[in-house]
Amino acid sequence: MSVDNWKRAAAHHAAGLVKPGMVVGLGHGSTAAFAVERLAARLRQGALSDIVGVPCSTDVARAARLLGIPLTTLDEHPIVQITIDGADEVDPDMNLIKGGGGALLREKVVATASERVIIVVDGSKLSPHLGSRFALPVEVVPFACAVEARYLESLGALVVRRGGEAPFLTDGGNVILDCNFGTIESPHELAARLNARPGIVAHGLFLDLATDLIVGDDRGVRHVRRGASRTEATAQ
Ligand code: A5P
């Protein structure tokens, strides 16, 4: 099976956990997109009803609308029952690096407002230590770009502004600095430092937020809940 098939299998499993009447956070990225498609298919088939989606990006909002998924906002529904989103790197404690797609701010807001955060990935995203496979995206206001880049370098990161001379802009109009820290030994400590900087609007460390991890790989689909070890994982 190809990586896309693994992503699809994990995402479809997650979409199957959505029940009628739920407010559903719709994550950004290629894996979460499979879940959005599956939710739309379940709605069309009548297997699901009365859900409303909170999209994590304007791209996802557009795709969901085209597929016929009713959308809402956090103003209308400040409590999200279940969010399905992807990740760029997942450590054994279910902590994540996210933001490869640039939607990290809204993704973190939606995840924080969610009772259940289901992360769907293919097996290549699993990692013994955050930072060993993926640079950490840090979203900064354009006004503070140079200052924050210097600060991030002082913390040991190799910093690259996403998009280079034609900077990538997020939905919030901010820029992203991709920060290669190598292996991040103390993610909570780093997150606390980044949280304290006024020019940083969001960073891709999603710590203690995921409640469920669904992994697709050549062994099939595994569903791990927070608190259960990987060896206790159940395929459902
Ligand atoms: C979006 O900003 C990211 O956090 C995505 O969730 C992440 O990049 C995973 O994307 P893929 O599912 O496309 O790998």
Side-chain angles (χ1 to χ4, degrees):
M1 281 227 298
S2 72
V3 171
D4 266 359
N5 285 333
W6 295 339
K7 291 179 179 187
R8 186 184 292 107
H12 283 196
H13 184 88
L17 300 174
V18 174
K19 303 274 185 295
M22 282 184 163
V23 180
V24 186
L26 305 174
H28 179 97
S30 59
T31 317
F34 285 124
V36 172
E37 285 171 13
R38 183 65 178 165
L39 289 172
R42 290 187 65 204
L43 285 170
R44 276 197 308 277
Q45 293 156 1
L48 190 60
S49 58
D50 294 331
I51 65 163
V52 283
V54 179
C56 288
S57 68
T58 52
D59 283 352
V60 175
R62 196 176 307 117
R65 256 188 227 107
L66 283 172
L67 288 165
I69 298 178
L71 297 182
T72 186
T73 63
L74 288 177
D75 286 343
E76 288 166 355
H77 290 93
I79 298 172
V80 177
Q81 269 88 49
I82 196 167
T83 284
I84 302 173
D85 202 352
D88 300 303
E89 199 169 338
V90 184
D91 81 2
D93 295 323
M94 237 187 254
N95 289 321
L96 320 169
I97 286 183
K98 285 181 55 55
L104 60 164
L105 174 58
R106 292 191 188 184
E107 289 174 333
K108 198 177 269 187
V109 171
V110 173
T112 303
S114 299
E115 293 172 340
R116 195 171 178 193
V117 178
I118 301 182
I119 297 301
V120 286
V121 292
D122 67 85
S124 72
K125 304 291 184 67
L126 302 181
S127 160
H129 296 288
L130 295 183
S132 48
R133 287 166 194 239
F134 205 83
L136 178 68
V138 177
E139 179 169 347
V140 305
V141 293
F143 179 73
C145 187
V147 172
E148 299 306 338
R150 275 171 64 89
Y151 175 69
L152 291 158
E153 281 167 357
S154 80
L155 297 181
L158 205 68
V159 179
V160 175
R161 186 170 66 175
R162 194 176 295 182
E165 291 305 308
F168 172 90
L169 290 183
T170 67
D171 281 346
N174 299 311
V175 295
I176 291 191
L177 300 175
D178 287 306
C179 300
N180 186 346
F181 283 97
T183 298
I184 299 171
E185 296 298 339
S186 308
H188 287 85
E189 197 179 301
L190 178 59
R193 284 175 188 250
L194 302 181
N195 289 341
R197 294 289 298 186
I200 292 178
V201 239
H203 56 78
L205 286 170
F206 282 49
L207 309 178
D208 310 314
L209 277 172
T211 59
D212 299 64
L213 173 66
I214 300 180
V215 185
D217 61 16
D218 54 6
R219 289 184 286 165
V221 172
R222 281 167 293 139
H223 181 173
V224 189
R225 291 183 177 80
R226 176 167 288 284
S229 74
R230 288 253 160 86
T231 51
E232 293 164 6
T234 51
Q236 296 185 342

